Amino acid sequence: MSAQIPSHSSPTLPTYDDVITAAWRIADVAHRTPVFTSRTADERTGARLFFKAENLQRSGAFKFRGAYNAIARLTEDARRRGVVTFSSGNHAQAIAYAGRLQNVPAVIIMPKDAPAMKMAATQGYGGEVVLYDRYTEDREEICRRLSAERGLTLIPPYDHEDVIAGQGTAVKELIEEVGPLDMLLVCVGGGGLLAGSALSAQALSPACRIYGVEPEAGNDAQQSFRSGSIVRIPVPVTIADGAQTTYIGQKTFPIIRALVSDMVTVSDDMLVDTMRFFAERMKIVVEPTGCLAAAAALHGVVACQGKRVGIIISGGNVDPKAFAGFLAGTAIRASAS
Ligand SMILES: *Cc1c(COP(=O)(O)O)cnc(C)c1O
């Protein structure tokens, strides 16, 4: 593939060189996660699948890579004042944990009605949680006010060059370990993981075709990819809570447009089936969003017969009761939060 990222689109887009320096920065702290294979999965798909297990990353998701890299890049002065973010999911925990490891205070802005488990996890990692009412208050406004008052640096969950570069280190490790790939499947929320992964895949395995995978109910990235401009959608109703973003990033989009072959979608039923497959056959706990890429291969959404296919398992943070419900097939309904 000879696709080039248009250099005029933004002077601050990360490159594979940034992924290399990110890999060096996180080398002693992030886990080099294992790559699993499964004969059952290979038989079911007729392919050779390589699963990169970021559910076993520190704080339970790949987000630790980008968060740690972004914090490591701050000036001494900015580190002393601290960082802020407004995600309530895996990015919040990653920022809290990466901040603590680097002695940088981290403020996480969360809705008052966020799951207690997520709040506790974020506080457990040393984050200062600031609550807001998501029906009457604007989190970005609160974030701006806190930044102004306390001089905090905002680290957003995906639309940031150091975050994208950090996320790209997972696929760098994968290809360095297993060799060139014919295909790579990566889940998409705001596109930080996909953009970073694409930078690594293009550099290390140029013939590899890269696919983004989204929940069927929230295919904003697919719409954006096909139309050529960023499409915004209402909060999608899906069990893939890590991919409930309503639009793709301004920095992730040009990279994805230039390097990715296509965007596909999978249903919540396919995610549940895949979660069960991981538990029963591979003995690992994967959260619904973490099943997106694998579901596309296991359910034939992307044809991969005869191919060497890289699959990112993006995270494993799922409430044990919800997980048991998914496995048992008892009704666990998706919500728009
Ligand atoms: C954040 C997250 C995603 C989506 O990542 P983006 O960089 O926003 O596309 C996917 N899976 C898990 C487990 C996540 O935490």
Side-chain angles (χ1 to χ4, degrees):
M1 200 198 310
S2 61
Q4 291 295 315
I5 300 165
S7 56
H8 60 269
S9 58
S10 164
T12 59
L13 292 183
T15 66
Y16 181 62
D17 283 343
D18 298 310
V19 180
I20 295 174
T21 50
W24 172 79
R25 270 186 215 106
I26 69 170
D28 292 337
V29 280
H31 292 316
R32 198 178 176 96
T33 52
V35 177
F36 295 131
T37 56
S38 155
R39 204 163 56 91
T40 313
D42 286 357
E43 277 167 10
R44 186 161 153 184
T45 56
R48 183 80 174 124
L49 307 183
F50 300 96
F51 297 93
K52 177 71 169 165
E54 286 296 299
N55 55 321
L56 304 179
Q57 185 51 265
R58 292 183 92 166
S59 77
F62 71 90
K63 292 270 189 350
F64 181 76
R65 296 173 181 270
Y68 193 93
N69 186 49
I71 292 176
R73 289 266 283 149
L74 297 174
T75 63
E76 256 322 301
D77 195 37
R79 294 162 69 90
R80 222 172 15 252
R81 288 189 307 250
V83 294
V84 61
T85 196
F86 48 71
S87 141
S88 54
N90 289 335
H91 179 66
Q93 294 172 41
I95 286 286
Y97 195 24
R100 187 174 76 183
L101 291 172
Q102 298 180 74
N103 284 316
V104 174
V107 175
I108 317 296
I109 300 170
M110 278 192 183
K112 273 183 192 153
D113 54 350
M117 205 182 95
K118 282 189 175 167
M119 271 187 227
T122 305
Q123 285 164 332
Y125 285 129
E128 175 191 340
V129 173
V130 172
L131 298 176
Y132 75 101
D133 182 340
R134 63 189 170 123
Y135 301 103
T136 61
E137 291 178 295
D138 176 13
R139 64 182 191 176
E140 294 186 32
E141 168 60 33
I142 296 171
C143 195
R144 269 194 299 274
R145 181 167 50 73
L146 278 174
S147 311
E149 282 170 10
R150 294 168 55 173
L152 305 173
T153 304
L154 169 65
I155 302 186
Y158 52 86
D159 214 12
H160 186 292
E161 61 180 305
D162 300 326
V163 172
I164 296 169
Q167 318 305 32
T169 59
V171 164
K172 177 177 182 291
E173 289 173 14
L174 170 64
I175 298 174
E176 284 172 353
E177 183 168 335
V178 307
L181 298 169
D182 301 312
M183 290 173 62
L184 176 67
L185 304 179
V186 182
C187 55
V188 189
L193 180 63
L194 178 58
S197 299
L199 292 174
S200 290
Q202 195 214 16
L204 300 174
S205 182
C208 178
R209 289 176 65 81
I210 305 161
Y211 293 83
V213 186
E214 278 186 301
E216 207 168 74
N219 73 333
D220 60 288
Q222 186 184 52
Q223 292 182 43
S224 305
F225 185 78
R226 296 198 172 153
S227 72
S229 58
I230 296 172
V231 172
R232 290 173 183 249
I233 59 165
V235 177
V237 179
T238 169
I239 59 170
D241 56 348
Q244 279 182 315
T245 35
T246 56
Y247 54 93
I248 198 164
Q250 287 183 352
K251 294 187 185 193
T252 58
F253 185 55
I255 299 172
I256 289 169
R257 199 97 213 292
L259 303 180
V260 169
S261 293
D262 201 5
M263 293 280 188
V264 300
T265 64
V266 302
S267 67
D268 278 8
D269 283 347
M270 293 177 189
L271 294 178
V272 171
D273 176 81
T274 303
M275 222 180 307
R276 206 173 281 138
F277 181 88
F278 279 134
E280 283 177 359
R281 299 296 180 146
M282 294 173 68
K283 319 301 172 197
I284 52 175
V285 175
V286 183
E287 65 182 275
T289 317
C291 293
L292 281 164
L298 294 172
H299 286 271
V301 173
V302 176
C304 44
Q305 287 89 339
K307 304 268 201 290
R308 291 167 50 83
V309 185
I311 289 175
I312 308 299
I313 299 173
S314 58
N317 293 326
V318 52
D319 177 83
K321 278 205 191 98
F323 185 70
F326 286 129
L327 261 50
T330 53
I332 300 283
R333 307 260 321 277
S335 75
S337 65

